Amino acid sequence: MGLLESPFNSLLCMLLGISFTVWFTLLLVFIVVPAIFGLSFGIRTLYMKVLLKVFEWATLRIERGAKEKKHLLYKPNTNGIIAKKPTSLEEELKEIRRNGSGRDLDGSSPTFAVSDIFYFCRRGVESIVDDEVTKRFTAEELESWNLLTRSNYNFQHISARLTALWGLGLLIRYCCLLPLRLTLAITGVTLLVVFTTIIGFLPNGRMKNFLSEKVHLMCYRICVRALTAIITYHHSENKPKNGGICVANHTSPIDVIILASDGCYAMVGQTHGGLMGIIQRSMVKACPHIWFERSEIKDRHLVAKRLSDHVEDKNKLPILIFPEGTCINNTSVMMFKKGSFEIASTIYPVAIKYDPRFGEAFWNSSKFGMVSYLLRMMSSWAIVCSVWYLPPMSRQEGEDAVQFANRVKAAIARQGGLVDLLWDGGLKRSKVKDTFKEEQQKLYSKILWDHNSSP
Amino acid sequence: GTYGIAQTVRELSVISHSQITRLYSRFHSLDKGENGALSREDFQRIPELAINPLGDRIINAFFPEGEDQVNFRGFMRTLAHFRPVEDNEKNKDPNSGEPLNSRNNKLLFAFRLYDLDRDDKISRDELLQVLRMMVGVNISDEQLGSIADRTIQEADTNGDMSISFSEFIKVLEKVDVEQKMSIRFLH
């Protein structure tokens, strides 16, 4: 008897056929169709609540287990590990000198005290123990355990039940959730490429824009479900409008999917090769996105011109830009590059805050490539985040681009509960510029001269 | 390993287990090469330290003479100088010798920032070099020279035109060194 005639094999084929059909029907009904219309069954929110309860239990269990076995637990330092005094160079030097020497000073030459060195010394050592910048480029530490070994520092065998739970979690995430999510992701991306290419054949006009909008939204929503992203949008009345620039803090490439599943934007970015390139080229057929060649990015005037041309056309979608220029770990907002703030248009700031308990969304590009990052995303529990649309802002009289950028950044940081830093996100890879050290030296020299003028 | 850390704890006698764990975590995050030791480049990657005018001198304090790598034990020993002095009261052990965070040892740490060639004397030239690091290009050579001269003149008691450690201590006797050179842990 040949293989094809075996009744067992035909049974197998039938079963496979049925399960595929059921699978795809469920997919269609519960995910794709709601994605098209922007509806939700509330399944994900329920899932989130259940997970939180489980995490709480797991954390308590670990703490109890550690107490019983007299292990010491490592508690992450969310507020810094040392107490830093906020005194400035000037205040401290004055204080030390007042107490230190009783010399008479005649004000005709700069005065130096041997004790001046203490301030720089202590500040230097404080920054070695805990600094504001380097910790922004690695994932935030969690206070409770979310059953992912990748985020746990205390994982030892505490109890059979806990290990079993962890094992079950592993099974669910890699065998159920991951394949489902991969299927969805592939579906979403394929639909995006296919439909945008088809729409590209239509003549420019209202119909094309309408269809392009619907297609983009549908595909991004499918991708959102592919990540099991549970997003809460606040203040949707402030959503970006045509002719404006939408500005947001950057934590991961997923930010784009999160924002674009709730509104339509013109993307800005570098042209890539491979799969990304295919997606980019087909997207731009349906509606005008702004893709730059690598060489063009260096030319700031060219970039500014293309962006301003785009915002002047009120029929075109608002531009989405991440002025930090790199991914930061979502505990702070770093320096905004002034380029997008020099263009004369309304800025719509958006704050995005992820809840790290369900999955760490930060992309540490020096540690993980894009593919392994996406796989980690898809094998986490969920991506939970909040998006706040802030009221639009414009550059005021007498304000230059840098001040405007800082104002917008402060608003975003305040809303998202993030630390507002002046440091450049580029410090992830490059060294700090010498000008900052020169500023410190200038400040100290000024104090040497001015010491005599104030009591 | 853990024996080394226990030994270090005994030596330092004033750092708690959780603080050591935190410092180890910090050490590990600075150690980009993941070889269990820090190089000068690892320190220079900290932006706030890179813009500190005395950044290089402070980094140097972590490295023993002629060495380019510092392990965790060395890292902790250097940081131990900055423990607040009050903590010593809890661990009065007559056999343990002078703790690393005593007033004297804090002053010695500062002295060594000035003493570039580690010959236990601050010469005029060394003082000039450190001053130049602190002021950059903003003060002229002549003025810096006269500052150095005046400083040595006031401190030098034995007439050898340089500042020894005991002369250094005398100049700073009224300064609250314990407070200025201490870092308090939050937990």
Side-chain angles (χ1 to χ4, degrees):
Chain A
M1 253 198 294
L3 272 163
L4 290 169
E5 285 139 21
S6 159
F8 176 70
N9 275 314
S10 60
L11 187 65
L12 196 65
C13 287
M14 208 166 66
L15 278 173
L16 276 173
I18 293 179
S19 44
F20 267 126
T21 321
V22 170
W23 177 259
F24 275 113
T25 318
L26 283 174
L27 212 73
L28 205 68
V29 170
F30 281 104
I31 293 173
V32 176
V33 170
I36 297 176
F37 294 104
L39 300 169
S40 170
F41 283 118
I43 300 176
R44 282 174 289 156
T45 331
L46 183 64
Y47 170 65
M48 190 172 93
K49 294 204 173 86
V50 168
L51 279 178
L52 274 175
K53 286 266 170 341
V54 173
F55 297 161
E56 264 173 46
W57 179 83
T59 312
L60 286 172
R61 192 69 191 76
I62 292 185
E63 284 174 359
R64 208 179 66 208
K67 230 184 282 184
E68 282 165 13
K69 297 195 182 172
K70 302 220 185 335
H71 285 142
L72 281 163
L73 277 183
Y74 174 79
K75 279 238 173 260
N77 43 313
T78 35
N79 290 326
I81 60 181
I82 49 179
K84 291 192 190 173
K85 279 179 284 197
T87 47
S88 72
L89 172 61
E90 204 169 331
E91 283 165 23
E92 257 198 58
L93 290 191
K94 283 206 185 118
E95 204 191 314
I96 303 184
R97 288 166 180 215
R98 204 186 1 251
N99 302 332
S101 80
R103 274 182 317 188
D104 241 339
L105 307 147
D106 57 16
S108 61
S109 49
T111 49
F112 165 75
V114 163
S115 54
D116 285 352
I117 207 178
F118 291 154
Y119 175 84
F120 293 110
C121 181
R122 195 191 70 245
R123 283 293 186 169
V125 178
E126 273 176 359
S127 68
I128 290 176
V129 176
D130 186 17
D131 80 298
E132 281 302 312
V133 184
T134 54
K135 63 187 181 193
R136 310 292 171 191
F137 302 133
T138 53
E140 191 187 355
E141 294 173 359
L142 292 175
E143 290 197 18
S144 73
W145 188 38
N146 60 356
L147 296 181
L148 298 171
T149 35
R150 61 182 80 144
S151 60
N152 184 288
Y153 313 94
N154 289 320
F155 184 68
Q156 299 147 39
H157 180 76
I158 302 276
S159 82
R161 221 187 297 179
L162 197 60
T163 315
L165 194 66
W166 171 74
L168 184 66
L170 199 71
L171 205 69
I172 294 179
R173 281 184 297 118
Y174 282 93
C175 298
C176 287
L177 295 178
L178 184 60
L180 171 65
R181 287 172 181 162
L182 275 175
T183 321
L184 281 175
I186 295 173
T187 314
V189 171
T190 317
L191 286 178
L192 182 67
V193 172
V194 166
F195 280 135
T196 46
T197 316
I198 293 177
I199 292 177
F201 291 120
L202 291 174
N204 287 348
R206 287 245 316 265
M207 190 45 144
K208 185 176 185 184
N209 291 342
F210 175 74
L211 280 178
S212 156
E213 224 182 88
K214 290 297 165 212
V215 161
H216 273 104
L217 280 175
M218 175 188 89
C219 297
Y220 282 119
R221 286 187 185 133
I222 297 178
C223 289
V224 158
R225 281 157 173 81
L227 294 164
T228 317
I230 304 167
I231 311 168
T232 320
Y233 296 99
H234 303 268
H235 304 302
S236 294
E237 67 271 11
N238 293 325
K239 245 194 262 195
K241 301 189 176 52
N242 285 6
I245 300 181
C246 176
V247 149
N249 59 315
H250 201 26
T251 307
S252 113
I254 293 176
D255 293 340
V256 174
I257 300 179
I258 287 177
L259 288 180
S261 62
D262 192 48
C264 290
Y265 300 94
M267 311 283 168
V268 179
Q270 211 182 312
T271 48
H272 288 94
L275 180 62
M276 271 306 294
I278 298 178
I279 300 175
Q280 281 177 328
R281 279 191 294 274
S282 60
M283 274 170 70
V284 87
K285 287 190 185 123
C287 78
H289 298 287
I290 306 177
W291 306 125
F292 288 105
E293 299 295 328
R294 200 187 186 93
S295 49
E296 288 176 326
I297 288 189
K298 304 244 167 68
D299 184 349
R300 286 192 35 217
H301 287 297
L302 179 68
V303 171
K305 177 112 190 12
R306 273 184 77 175
L307 292 177
S308 4
D309 286 345
H310 186 107
V311 301
E312 270 160 21
D313 185 349
K314 295 295 174 219
N315 289 325
K316 292 198 178 150
L317 299 167
I319 302 179
L320 177 59
I321 286 189
F322 297 101
E324 281 166 314
T326 187
C327 294
I328 311 292
N329 79 346
N330 209 232
T331 56
S332 68
V333 186
M334 298 186 100
M335 187 184 91
F336 276 3
K337 301 205 187 324
K338 62 179 178 180
S340 21
F341 298 91
E342 282 169 337
I343 302 169
S345 91
T346 334
I347 300 278
Y348 294 89
V350 175
I352 307 176
K353 179 84 178 102
Y354 289 89
D355 187 339
R357 289 176 297 180
F358 298 91
E360 180 52 57
F362 167 60
W363 182 30
N364 190 343
S365 46
S366 41
K367 231 174 154 187
F368 306 111
M370 173 70 94
V371 177
S372 63
Y373 167 71
L374 285 174
L375 281 175
R376 278 170 74 96
M377 284 299 98
M378 291 195 205
S379 62
S380 316
W381 293 111
I383 307 288
V384 178
C385 65
S386 296
V387 175
W388 287 273
Y389 292 106
L390 297 168
M393 295 169 126
S394 313
R395 184 137 64 110
Q396 283 164 357
E397 283 295 319
E399 201 181 31
D400 72 357
V402 174
Q403 290 165 333
F404 181 39
N406 285 334
R407 192 160 61 90
V408 173
K409 177 160 67 80
I412 292 181
R414 211 172 18 242
Q415 179 67 74
L418 305 164
V419 176
D420 186 1
L421 294 178
L422 290 172
W423 295 97
D424 185 357
L427 290 172
K428 199 198 242 182
R429 297 203 174 82
S430 61
K431 289 209 152 152
V432 68
K433 288 202 275 253
D434 285 333
T435 43
F436 292 106
K437 188 192 262 199
E438 285 158 21
E439 265 172 44
Q440 293 281 304
Q441 289 168 330
K442 207 167 179 183
L443 197 64
Y444 177 63
S445 311
K446 193 168 175 303
I447 291 171
L448 284 192
W449 275 108
D450 289 350
H451 177 68
N452 308 308
S453 48
S454 44
Chain B
T2 37
Y3 175 72
I5 295 193
Q7 173 84 325
T8 313
V9 176
R10 258 197 301 281
E11 259 186 359
L12 303 172
S13 77
V14 283
I15 295 190
S16 72
H17 185 279
S18 73
Q19 287 160 2
I20 294 184
T21 319
R22 284 217 168 70
L23 286 174
Y24 186 73
S25 167
R26 174 65 171 171
F27 179 85
H28 189 70
S29 71
L30 290 173
D31 180 13
K32 289 283 187 277
E34 299 205 347
N35 55 353
L38 298 178
S39 65
R40 287 190 167 81
E41 287 76 40
D42 288 323
F43 283 99
Q44 276 153 1
R45 234 177 263 119
I46 304 172
E48 286 165 34
L49 187 62
I51 68 168
N52 188 317
L54 293 176
D56 288 333
R57 293 301 305 151
I58 298 168
I59 294 174
N60 214 51
F62 282 83
F63 294 85
E65 185 80 50
E67 289 191 24
D68 288 327
Q69 299 274 310
V70 55
N71 60 14
F72 182 57
R73 207 148 160 274
F75 183 70
M76 291 264 289
R77 276 197 106 243
T78 315
L79 289 180
H81 286 88
F82 289 83
R83 292 293 299 150
V85 175
E86 312 66 91
D87 289 4
N88 287 354
E89 298 304 311
K90 303 181 205 145
N91 298 323
K92 271 256 173 341
D93 174 5
N95 298 327
S96 62
E98 193 175 20
L100 284 168
N101 61 335
S102 67
R103 183 195 163 88
N104 233 36
N105 277 324
K106 286 181 198 286
L107 282 166
L108 188 59
F109 190 94
F111 181 80
R112 290 199 175 128
L113 289 181
Y114 284 109
D115 182 13
L116 298 168
D117 59 5
R118 303 189 196 217
D119 68 350
D120 297 327
K121 285 205 300 279
I122 304 175
S123 67
R124 180 182 189 270
D125 199 46
E126 287 172 339
L127 190 56
L128 263 180
Q129 285 189 55
V130 174
L131 278 168
R132 185 52 77 194
M133 283 183 214
M134 288 162 87
V135 305
V137 300
N138 300 294
I139 294 188
S140 69
D141 281 333
E142 298 86 48
Q143 280 172 338
L144 221 57
S146 63
I147 291 177
D149 288 329
R150 205 172 43 230
T151 311
I152 293 188
Q153 203 181 33
E154 286 167 4
D156 187 18
T157 49
N158 67 352
D160 64 350
M161 304 307 272
S162 66
I163 307 178
S164 69
F165 185 47
S166 45
E167 287 163 353
F168 188 75
I169 296 178
K170 190 88 181 28
V171 171
L172 295 171
E173 64 187 347
K174 295 208 193 86
V175 176
D176 186 3
V177 176
E178 290 88 333
Q179 207 224 11
K180 297 301 168 198
M181 294 274 281
S182 288
I183 296 176
R184 198 162 305 276
F185 271 91
L186 285 175
H187 308 282

